[in-house]
Amino acid sequence: MRATFHLKTLTVAVAALSVASMANAAGLDRSGQDVTAFLQDGTYAEAVYTYIDADVTGKDTSGNKIGDIAESYDFFRYGVKADVNDTFSVGILYDEPFGAAADYTGTNNFVGAPTDAVNNIIASSLTGTGVTDIQGLKALVEGTQTQLSAAENRLDAARAQVGQAQAAVSQNPALESVLRPQIEAGLAGIAAGETQLAAGQAQLNQLERLEGFADERLANDESTNVEVRTESLTGILGAKFGTNKEFQVYGGPVVQRVKADIKLRGSAYGAATGYTAHLSPDQDYGYLAGISYSKPEIALKAALTYRSEIDHSMNIDENYPVVAALGGDATQGGTIDITTPESVNFDFQTGINPTTLATAKVRWVPWSDFSIVPPLYNEVSKRATLDDKGLSLVSYDDDQWVVELGLAKRLTPALAVSGNVGWDSGAGNPVTSLGPIEGYYSAGLGAKYNVTENWAISAGGKYLWFGDAEGQIPTKTIVSDFESNDGYVVGVKVSYQAQ
C-alpha cells in the first residue's frame, strides 16, 4: 500500500527553505518574487529579513586593483494569507524585487581624477592643434589670450589713427581728398580685425570651457556609485476547484515603486566621466497570475506564477559635465521610461517519506529586454554612434534562469532542517560595469523551530560562488575583469499558521 505523507506534518520542514532561498545576481534581480506564503494552508503570515554581503573584486584595464564594489544590503518580505472558505483565499505580499548597490573604491579607473579620459577628450576636441593633454590645453589658452590681447591693442591703435584722421578732416576739409582713402582703408581694417577678434574670442571661450571642465574633473575625488531600490505590494485572490479542490487559480494587482541614483566617475567611462543621474521615485501597476496543484496525501504542491512587466515614467535629473565643455547645458531635467521585466516562477515540492520533502524552484526573467536610457545621456551618445538610436546606460544581453533544488527533513515534531543547491545563469558576459557578475552557484542550509503550535522561527544561510565576468561600458568597451568572487546570504523568518 502506498504511503501517505500528510502535508500538515511536513510544513515544519519545507518552510525552512524559503528564508534565504532566492538571492539572485543576474540583472537587478534580488528577492526572487516568492509567492509561497500565499500557497500555505489555512491562515498564514510571515515576516522575513534577508541580508546579502558579496565580495566582488577585480582589476581595471590598466592593471589597477578594484576593491570590493558590492555594497552589503538588506531587505524585508512580508506575506499574509487567509481562507475565506474552502474555495476562496485572499492574500497580500510585500517584497523588494529588484535592486543594485555598487560602490567603487581604491586607486583605479573608476575612482577620482579621470586623467586619461580628460586628456583623450582634450585631444579629440583639439584635433590638428597638437594639443593632447591638460598642460598643452592650458598653454594654448594662455597663448590665445596673449594673441587676443595683442590683437585688441592693434585695433585700439588703428581706431586711434582713424580717429585722428577724421579729426584732421573735420578741422580742415581740404584734407578730405588726401585722408579719405586712408580713413576708409583703416575702417575696413578695423572691421576685419573686429571680426577676427570675435572669432578668436569665441575660440577662447570654447577653450576656457574645455579647461574648466578639465580642471573640475581632475579635481574630483568621487567614485563610481549606483543604487537602485524597488518595493512591491501584491494583492492576491485565489479560487480552488476540482474534485478535491486540488487545483487553484490565483491572481491580482501589483503596485511597484522604483527609485535610482547613478554616478559615473574615473577614466573608465571616457567622455561620460562625471555623469550623474537621479531618478525620482515612481509608482506604477502590473499584475500577477498563477495556477497551483496539490495532492496532500504525498505532500505534493506545484505552482506556476507569472508576473507582468511594469512600465514606469520617472522624472530624471541629469548632469553631464562634458556637455558644458561643448557649449551646451550640462544639467537637464526630463522624464525617462523604464520597464521592469516580467517573470515566471515554478515552485514544486513532494514528500519522499513521512518526514522528508524534496523541493525545486525555477525562475525565468528576460533581462535581455531591459534597458535604462536616460535622455541626455542618450542624446550625447549619438555623437559616438553616429545614428539616431544612441546608447543605453544599462542593458543586458541574455535572459536569466535560476534553478534551485533542496531537501527538508523533520528531525523532531518541532525541529526541521533543510539544504539546497542552486544555479543562476547570469544575464550575459561581458556585462555592465555597474554589476560585473555572471550568475552564481550556491549551497545553503536552513532550520525551523516551532515555538508553539502556531508560531515558528526560521533561519537560513546560503554561500554564493559568483561567475567570472568582464565589465563593459555602454560602448561595449571592456574596462574591467572580475574573477574568483563570492558572497553569502542570511535570513530570519517569523511565521504564524493556523489551520
Side-chain angles (χ1 to χ4, degrees), residues 179-491:
L179 295 181
R180 179 51 55 187
Q182 297 178 18
I183 292 174
E184 295 298 330
L187 290 173
I190 290 171
E194 288 175 340
T195 299
Q196 293 176 353
L197 185 64
Q201 186 61 54
Q203 180 183 23
L204 177 61
N205 291 342
Q206 181 179 358
L207 292 173
E208 288 178 337
R209 284 196 299 269
L210 186 58
E211 182 183 28
F213 160 79
D215 287 340
E216 179 186 7
R217 290 297 92 214
L218 293 174
N220 185 275
D221 60 358
E222 293 181 325
S223 63
T224 296
N225 179 275
V226 59
E227 183 171 3
V228 179
R229 298 300 292 252
T230 64
E231 296 176 284
S232 179
L233 188 65
T234 304
I236 307 179
L237 172 64
K240 295 178 181 178
F241 63 97
T243 305
N244 298 309
K245 303 291 187 180
E246 67 269 27
F247 292 98
Q248 180 179 218
V249 292
Y250 53 92
V254 179
V255 182
Q256 187 180 85
R257 186 173 184 267
V258 179
K259 63 179 180 178
D261 287 282
I262 300 170
K263 294 180 179 181
L264 306 183
R265 301 293 187 266
S267 291
Y269 294 100
T273 183
Y275 175 83
T276 301
H278 171 68
L279 284 68
S280 299
D282 175 76
Q283 179 175 294
D284 226 302
Y285 306 90
Y287 66 90
L288 170 150
I291 184 169
S292 66
Y293 171 79
S294 65
K295 193 171 184 179
E297 60 267 28
I298 60 170
L300 187 150
K301 278 188 176 183
L304 187 67
T305 307
Y306 171 80
R307 285 181 179 266
S308 71
E309 60 185 24
I310 299 179
D311 298 323
H312 293 270
S313 182
M314 309 172 68
N315 292 327
I316 181 172
D317 295 310
E318 298 177 84
N319 181 268
Y320 206 149
V322 75
V323 175
L326 301 175
D329 185 0
T331 301
Q332 296 185 24
T335 60
I336 179 173
D337 295 328
I338 294 178
T339 300
T340 56
E342 62 185 345
S343 65
V344 177
N345 280 20
F346 176 68
D347 295 279
F348 177 84
Q349 69 171 56
T350 187
I352 297 176
N353 60 49
T355 61
T356 306
L357 277 174
T359 64
K361 291 176 177 284
V362 180
R363 176 169 167 81
W364 171 78
V365 186
W367 285 108
S368 60
D369 297 333
F370 175 84
S371 63
I372 299 177
V373 189
L376 178 58
Y377 182 93
N378 177 256
E379 187 61 33
V380 174
S381 74
K382 293 175 183 177
R383 304 188 185 195
T385 61
L386 302 178
D387 58 31
D388 59 356
K389 183 178 180 181
L391 298 172
S392 304
L393 179 59
V394 176
S395 63
Y396 300 95
D397 294 331
D398 297 336
D399 296 344
Q400 173 196 15
W401 285 92
V402 184
V403 178
E404 197 167 84
L405 305 175
L407 286 175
K409 178 72 174 177
R410 181 165 56 88
L411 301 180
T412 72
L415 177 65
V417 295
S418 62
N420 61 70
V421 294
W423 168 77
D424 184 313
S425 68
N429 185 31
V431 69
T432 173
S433 59
L434 300 178
I437 292 173
E438 189 190 15
Y440 63 74
Y441 290 94
S442 70
L445 295 172
K448 179 186 176 185
Y449 183 75
N450 273 23
V451 181
T452 69
E453 181 181 357
N454 302 119
W455 289 94
I457 185 168
S458 306
K462 183 163 68 172
Y463 187 81
L464 310 173
W465 293 269
F466 295 127
D468 297 343
E470 292 179 309
Q472 66 179 4
I473 58 177
T475 60
K476 304 299 183 181
T477 302
I478 304 299
V479 292
S480 58
D481 186 43
F482 290 80
E483 297 181 348
S484 303
N485 291 309
D486 56 13
Y488 66 89
V489 185
V490 293

Side-chain angles (χ1 to χ4, degrees), residues 68-210:
D68 183 12
I69 71 168
E71 293 189 300
S72 59
Y73 67 95
D74 56 8
F75 58 87
F76 288 90
R77 186 174 82 239
Y78 306 101
V80 177
K81 177 260 182 182
D83 292 330
V84 178
N85 50 44
D86 64 352
T87 298
F88 294 102
S89 302
V90 293
I92 297 177
L93 305 177
Y94 168 87
D95 73 340
E96 300 179 31
F98 308 115
D103 187 20
Y104 281 81
T105 58
T107 302
N108 54 68
N109 291 342
F110 297 86
V111 179
T115 304
D116 292 341
V118 167
N119 288 339
N120 288 337
I121 294 170
I122 291 171
S124 61
S125 300
L126 302 177
T127 302
T129 64
V131 176
T132 59
D133 55 27
I134 183 62
Q135 289 78 18
L137 173 60
K138 289 186 176 296
L140 181 59
V141 168
E142 184 177 350
T144 303
Q145 291 172 334
T146 300
Q147 292 174 4
L148 288 178
S149 179
E152 184 67 54
N153 291 336
R154 290 194 295 271
L155 276 176
D156 288 342
R159 293 188 186 102
Q161 290 177 354
V162 170
Q164 291 172 359
Q166 289 173 331
V169 169
S170 177
Q171 293 175 359
N172 186 0
L175 297 176
E176 174 74 24
S177 59
V178 177
L179 295 181
R180 179 51 55 187
Q182 297 178 18
I183 292 174
E184 295 298 330
L187 290 173
I190 290 171
E194 288 175 340
T195 299
Q196 293 176 353
L197 185 64
Q201 186 61 54
Q203 180 183 23
L204 177 61
N205 291 342
Q206 181 179 358
L207 292 173
E208 288 178 337
R209 284 196 299 269
L210 186 58

